[in-house]
Amino acid sequence: MGKGKKFLGKRRKGSFKAVNKNKNKKKNKEHEVVNKKAIFNRYKDKQKVEEEFAKKKQMEARFKQQQTTYSESESEEEDVYGQLISCFNGKKKSTIESEDEASSSEESNNGKLNDKVIDDKNKQSDNSDYGSDNESISDGDSSENNEMVVEEVEMENELETSDDPFIKHIQYDLDDGMLVSLSNNPVNEKQITKSWPVLGNLSISIPQPVETLKKQKPKFSILEEKTFAPIATVPHIPNNVDFKQMYIKSQIHGNIVSANKKNLIKRDLELNNVFTPLQKELFSVMNNYQDLYYPERSFTNADEIRFTYCLHVVNHMLKTRTKILHHNAKLSKKSEVTDDFRDQGLVRPKVLIIAPFKSSAYKIVNTIIDILVPKEAGQVVNKNRFEEDFTGGEIIMPSKNPKPEDYELLFSGNSDDTFRLGITVTKKTLKLYTDFYSSDILIASPLGLRMIVGAEGEEDRDYDFLASIEILVMDQADVFLMQNWDHLLHVLDHLHLQPRKTHDTDFSRVRLWAVNGWSKYYRQNLIFSSVSLPEIKSVVNKKCQNYAGKVLVVNPPEVGSIQQVLVQVPQLFHRFNAASPLASVDSRFEYFVKEILPKQRDTLMSHTLIYVPSYFDFVRIRNYFKKEDIGFVQICEYSKDGKIARARDMFFHTEAHFLLYSERIHFFRRLRIKGIRHIIFYQPPTYPHFYSEMCNLMQESNQNKYGGSDCNMTVTVLYCKYDLPRAASILGTRRIAKMAASDKSVHMYVTGD
């Protein structure tokens, strides 16, 4: 009995020792975790963290060598380190579980972490931004394995709390106050004006959340606190072009300068400059993920603009791809998909670039190739097919009577306006002609998209591929107005609609804001035009709802196109009143019929050309002339060559009093109409240089000697307050301001020698 009692006493004593060892181990583990956190808070740099933590581990290893090792058989211990990480960095169970596995035993720790090392090395070869500076990790070294855990935590922090504008813009959901503000009409916005050296005057609008709802937000505990999308900031111009500070993917760092110089071969770009001053300012706005409306595109800066938005698009797609691949690698070892891995949209296409002609698309694709796979270092799939489809078909320019320079530049390549192209981006491969639902970038014309989207009631129509567009680029938006503006509006109305099919979407990876139908608030819109037009401004205000706000370039024209009018002829500007833009259509027609037309019907006012920008107005005037039996001929974009030749001949030889001339035919053909003595601009032209072109056709060399005298020549322009932007492009801001403030409705200007 004594021996038995002694034996029991020894067991009790040993169990107490085991309990004390467990307690000591818990304290040591807590101390180790606190040390990790303290080091991580002191040094944000990964290398410093690794050095400091290695020193700590060496000191702790010496202390632990004096203790006996034993196997653990008790229940799972509390994970203090995991709780700390989840509290301060918002980590989910996935991080805690990996930490538990890493701390369970040294033997299993080595095996599992070595698998992680191999996986991360694979990710380094595929994702250049992740672990590019990591040192090689030797197998079986426990201190290196522990550094790997810290490295993984840092990688998570880089992905979720980085200052990268890409992460800031798309990573987080909108709070209730911002959603209510964006859904209001008008939106609660903060207006800011800036003046930049190249872009000039900027009008910046940044949506602000509704304060009442912001105060009523429910309070969460520390573990449940949710991060919402931040309020956008005003873009700024960096002092120096630093790719890392601009968060440009390292994969394309070496291609940017050479690709830019290739696109700017006509201009002198110094070797020490990466971007031109215009590109530097444009990219500052684009990289801030704010909408941009730039109405000063020209043939001299077109290459600069195209390269800038192509660089932004490629950078965006590479970041998207890197994030998805990184999550795929982590999910390969996990069975549960948490909200941390939501990184996709309802469908795959992320970028939509709308261009007017195949020649424009050809330049865009080649620019993307120069940035991503220069000299085809990678592989461009279907390149030969692309070259055949998007080249050729050039318009033969006449040598006897040359067209204006802007016409030759615009129609120098393939002017086909029916095309669509899907592009898939990988690390070293660019695939052309891919299916829309497996494409990353879509390049198409408004007509090409309209043919797929179709109209309501049609059976064979599809618009699901437009559900997850994150960047929309509209280059040469003014040309869309000359083609068919309704096609563009129809396509924009079908963006971000609920898909009718699933298209093999993994909904566990779809972002919550995409599931909730908020994608339109995350879409960045980049619109470039050569003229500032109310129609385009309306699209910016009504169709662009980016929660990051928008930046509009607003530089009033100081000198109008009237300065280029060479003939000495009186030019009368008639102002009529209109209650609204819609009412101006009828008001304009009534003013024309009652005030202008009766005077022009006199025989002394023969050889009158009526310039009509809108085709709907053209049809209305044509029907009125037929009804009133007024002698006229017509030329529009639908007229055949034979009828155009006959109309020009009759007008020149005074067989027709009036010539109805549409703006679209002038845009696409630039006809040199002869015999013009009087011009009536039913509305100010869309392009201001069209005004001077038409007026200069009244030169003596183009006149019929028997059709009138040089003293009997006039130019008449009809305008209302809604036409002031167009009129300002003709007269200049100062003149149009005086005319708008004047009580007189008719003003006359005389140009020429």
Side-chain angles (χ1 to χ4, degrees):
M1 292 294 294
K3 292 182 179 179
K5 289 181 180 180
K6 189 175 181 180
F7 177 76
L8 290 174
K10 287 182 178 180
R11 287 192 63 180
R12 291 194 187 98
K13 189 175 181 181
S15 63
F16 288 140
K17 286 183 179 180
V19 172
N20 290 332
K21 287 181 179 179
N22 292 337
K23 289 183 178 179
N24 290 334
K25 185 175 181 182
K26 286 186 178 181
K27 290 181 180 180
N28 291 335
K29 185 176 180 181
E30 292 176 2
H31 180 67
E32 175 185 342
V33 172
V34 172
N35 285 339
K36 285 184 181 181
K37 191 61 186 178
I39 295 169
F40 188 79
N41 287 334
R42 284 182 60 193
Y43 305 100
K44 298 299 181 182
D45 185 75
K46 184 190 71 174
Q47 185 177 359
K48 292 183 179 179
V49 173
E50 293 174 351
E51 294 175 356
E52 291 294 325
F53 186 67
K55 293 179 182 178
K56 291 285 183 181
K57 289 298 297 180
Q58 290 177 1
M59 297 177 62
E60 292 174 3
R62 294 175 184 175
F63 177 76
K64 289 180 181 179
Q65 285 177 358
Q66 303 174 3
Q67 300 179 355
T68 59
T69 60
Y70 58 92
S71 60
E72 293 182 335
S73 59
E74 64 271 11
S75 59
E76 187 178 0
E77 296 179 353
E78 181 182 4
D79 188 4
V80 183
Y81 179 58
Q83 290 184 0
L84 279 173
I85 294 300
S86 64
C87 291
F88 290 96
N89 294 325
K91 292 292 172 289
K92 304 294 181 182
K93 291 183 179 179
S94 58
T95 307
I96 298 173
E97 290 173 359
S98 63
E99 191 63 22
D100 287 339
E101 293 170 0
S103 61
S104 60
S105 65
E106 186 175 358
E107 182 178 357
S108 61
N109 191 12
N110 288 338
K112 292 180 181 179
L113 284 175
N114 288 336
D115 290 339
K116 282 187 179 180
V117 171
I118 297 172
D119 182 66
D120 281 354
K121 285 182 178 179
N122 292 333
K123 286 187 285 184
Q124 288 174 23
S125 64
D126 195 46
N127 306 334
S128 57
D129 276 7
Y130 293 101
S132 58
D133 299 328
N134 292 345
E135 299 177 357
S136 60
I137 301 176
S138 60
D139 296 341
D141 192 346
S142 60
S143 62
E144 295 288 339
N145 290 336
N146 286 325
E147 289 182 10
M148 188 63 205
V149 175
V150 178
E151 179 183 328
E152 185 177 5
V153 173
E154 288 187 30
M155 186 177 293
E156 291 291 333
N157 289 332
E158 181 184 355
L159 284 173
E160 297 190 4
T161 62
S162 171
D163 291 333
D164 189 344
F166 170 80
I167 299 296
K168 285 184 177 181
H169 184 68
I170 69 170
Q171 184 73 9
Y172 310 108
D173 293 339
L174 300 174
D175 61 7
D176 294 338
M178 182 63 77
L179 287 172
V180 172
S181 177
L182 292 171
S183 60
N184 288 341
N185 190 15
V187 179
N188 180 27
E189 295 178 330
K190 181 180 180 182
Q191 301 292 336
I192 303 167
T193 57
K194 289 281 185 180
S195 180
W196 284 7
V198 180
L199 292 182
N201 299 321
L202 304 181
S203 175
I204 306 172
S205 303
I206 300 178
Q208 302 293 316
V210 177
E211 294 296 332
T212 55
L213 289 179
K214 194 174 181 181
K215 295 178 181 178
Q216 296 176 1
K217 284 197 305 183
K219 296 182 179 179
F220 296 98
S221 66
I222 297 178
L223 294 176
E224 296 175 343
E225 186 173 359
K226 184 176 181 180
T227 304
F228 292 102
I231 300 176
T233 58
V234 179
H236 68 280
I237 309 173
N239 296 326
N240 299 316
V241 178
D242 188 339
F243 293 151
K244 292 184 178 180
Q245 292 182 358
M246 290 180 170
Y247 300 96
I248 299 176
K249 291 287 290 181
S250 59
Q251 177 182 339
I252 56 176
H253 284 182
N255 308 335
I256 294 177
V257 176
S258 59
N260 199 11
K261 288 183 177 180
K262 183 177 179 180
N263 283 274
L264 300 176
I265 195 170
K266 296 180 181 179
R267 301 189 59 180
D268 294 331
L269 185 66
E270 296 181 7
L271 293 175
N272 58 350
N273 289 338
V274 179
F275 295 146
T276 63
L278 175 61
Q279 289 176 331
K280 190 176 178 181
E281 296 184 10
L282 287 176
F283 192 78
S284 300
V285 179
M286 295 180 190
N287 202 34
N288 211 31
Y289 278 88
Q290 291 171 315
D291 292 351
L292 173 64
Y293 174 43
Y294 183 67
E296 297 180 11
R297 183 191 186 279
S298 63
F299 293 103
T300 56
N301 63 19
D303 294 332
E304 296 178 70
I305 295 171
R306 186 185 305 109
F307 176 84
T308 308
Y309 70 69
C310 285
L311 174 62
H312 177 59
V313 164
V314 170
N315 192 41
H316 179 85
M317 289 311 310
L318 290 178
K319 290 179 181 179
T320 301
R321 178 177 176 272
T322 300
K323 191 174 184 66
I324 292 175
L325 291 178
H326 174 73
H327 285 171
N328 289 344
K330 299 190 70 175
L331 286 172
S332 62
K333 299 183 178 182
K334 298 181 182 295
S335 58
E336 182 182 356
V337 181
T338 63
D339 288 346
D340 289 343
F341 298 98
R342 293 186 177 273
D343 51 15
Q344 302 174 22
L346 295 172
V347 290
R348 179 166 178 172
K350 297 290 186 295
V351 177
L352 174 62
I353 302 177
I354 305 179
F357 306 118
K358 279 188 174 181
S359 59
S360 306
Y362 180 78
K363 295 176 183 177
I364 292 170
V365 173
N366 282 325
T367 303
I368 293 175
I369 292 174
D370 293 337
I371 296 173
L372 190 62
V373 283
K375 300 179 181 179
E376 299 189 16
Q379 183 180 6
V380 181
V381 182
N382 293 324
K383 180 69 181 296
N384 293 334
R385 177 185 171 187
F386 172 75
E387 291 284 346
E388 293 177 1
D389 289 349
F390 284 78
T391 56
E394 295 88 352
I395 298 176
I396 300 176
M397 301 296 173
S399 57
K400 185 178 181 181
N401 292 317
K403 301 287 185 182
E405 183 182 4
D406 66 290
Y407 180 86
E408 294 185 357
L409 292 173
L410 182 62
F411 296 99
S412 59
N414 192 328
S415 58
D416 187 2
D417 62 350
T418 309
F419 64 91
R420 46 191 174 269
L421 180 68
I423 303 176
T424 299
V425 177
T426 60
K427 183 177 182 180
K428 295 183 179 180
T429 306
L430 197 70
K431 299 179 181 179
L432 307 179
Y433 292 97
T434 53
D435 180 72
F436 271 15
Y437 291 99
S438 60
S439 302
D440 298 312
I441 303 173
L442 306 179
I443 303 177
S445 64
L447 179 58
L449 287 174
R450 176 63 188 269
M451 293 175 66
I452 300 178
V453 172
E456 187 175 355
E458 295 182 5
E459 295 182 1
D460 188 14
R461 60 182 309 216
D462 186 12
Y463 49 82
D464 290 353
F465 58 88
L466 300 173
S468 297
I469 298 298
E470 295 174 359
I471 297 180
L472 171 64
V473 180
M474 289 189 284
D475 198 3
Q476 297 175 271
D478 51 287
V479 181
F480 304 153
L481 197 65
M482 296 292 103
Q483 293 176 335
N484 194 325
W485 191 247
D486 184 63
H487 290 342
L488 178 66
L489 298 180
H490 187 75
V491 171
L492 296 179
D493 289 338
H494 286 78
L495 286 171
H496 306 300
L497 298 181
Q498 183 177 353
R500 298 179 295 176
K501 299 179 182 178
T502 58
H503 302 287
D504 298 327
T505 301
D506 183 3
F507 288 96
S508 63
R509 301 283 296 275
V510 178
R511 295 188 179 95
L512 291 177
W513 50 261
V515 176
N516 293 330
W518 302 338
S519 298
K520 60 183 178 181
Y521 300 134
Y522 287 80
R523 187 186 78 234
Q524 183 186 25
N525 306 276
L526 307 175
I527 303 176
F528 304 98
S529 170
S530 62
V531 289
S532 179
L533 298 172
E535 292 85 353
I536 303 177
K537 194 77 173 290
S538 176
V539 168
V540 175
N541 293 330
K542 295 181 179 180
K543 306 291 184 182
C544 303
Q545 299 172 291
N546 187 358
Y547 82 88
K550 49 180 170 284
V551 177
L552 280 65
V553 178
V554 285
N555 295 317
E558 296 181 0
V559 179
S561 62
I562 196 173
Q563 300 289 343
Q564 281 76 47
V565 177
L566 303 178
V567 295
Q568 189 171 2
V569 56
Q571 302 162 50
L572 288 84
F573 288 78
H574 292 255
R575 186 180 65 208
F576 63 93
N577 298 322
S580 66
L582 187 61
S584 66
V585 177
D586 294 330
S587 301
R588 190 188 311 275
F589 181 75
E590 292 178 3
Y591 189 87
F592 171 76
V593 171
K594 295 180 179 178
E595 301 293 334
I596 305 298
L597 191 58
K599 301 175 183 177
Q600 296 295 137
R601 293 186 66 176
D602 191 279
T603 53
L604 294 175
M605 306 298 287
S606 60
H607 294 270
T608 298
L609 182 142
I610 304 176
Y611 182 96
V612 188
S614 172
Y615 183 71
F616 299 104
D617 292 332
F618 181 90
V619 173
R620 188 173 188 178
I621 297 173
R622 181 188 65 187
N623 294 341
Y624 179 80
F625 278 14
K626 289 182 178 180
K627 180 181 177 181
E628 298 295 326
D629 197 19
I630 300 175
F632 76 101
V633 289
Q634 58 176 322
I635 299 176
C636 68
E637 58 271 28
Y638 302 108
S639 302
K640 296 181 180 180
D641 291 342
K643 291 186 176 181
I644 292 175
R646 191 173 190 288
R648 295 174 67 178
D649 183 73
M650 293 178 66
F651 180 73
F652 181 79
H653 292 97
T654 326
E655 296 179 26
H657 189 93
F658 292 101
L659 169 61
L660 281 182
Y661 189 70
S662 71
E663 185 176 62
R664 278 167 143 190
I665 188 66
H666 188 71
F667 176 83
F668 287 106
R669 301 287 295 272
R670 300 294 176 91
L671 301 176
R672 297 171 63 90
I673 307 297
K674 296 184 177 181
I676 303 173
R677 295 284 181 180
H678 308 278
I679 298 179
I680 299 175
F681 288 95
Y682 190 76
Q683 186 181 6
T686 301
Y687 292 91
H689 62 275
F690 283 2
Y691 178 83
S692 57
E693 281 185 15
M694 296 303 301
C695 292
N696 290 333
L697 290 176
M698 302 171 68
Q699 296 179 14
E700 182 63 28
S701 59
N702 295 327
Q703 297 296 341
N704 183 351
K705 298 180 180 180
Y706 307 100
S709 62
D710 296 339
C711 299
N712 185 20
M713 300 174 70
T714 59
V715 175
T716 305
V717 183
L718 276 67
Y719 76 99
C720 65
K721 61 181 180 181
Y722 301 106
D723 299 321
L724 291 180
R726 294 189 178 204
S729 299
I730 298 173
L731 295 173
T733 305
R734 294 182 180 178
R735 292 193 185 98
I736 202 65
K738 292 180 180 179
M739 289 170 54
S742 175
D743 295 333
K744 298 180 180 179
S745 60
V746 181
H747 296 79
M748 184 179 72
Y749 296 92
V750 179
T751 57
D753 297 334

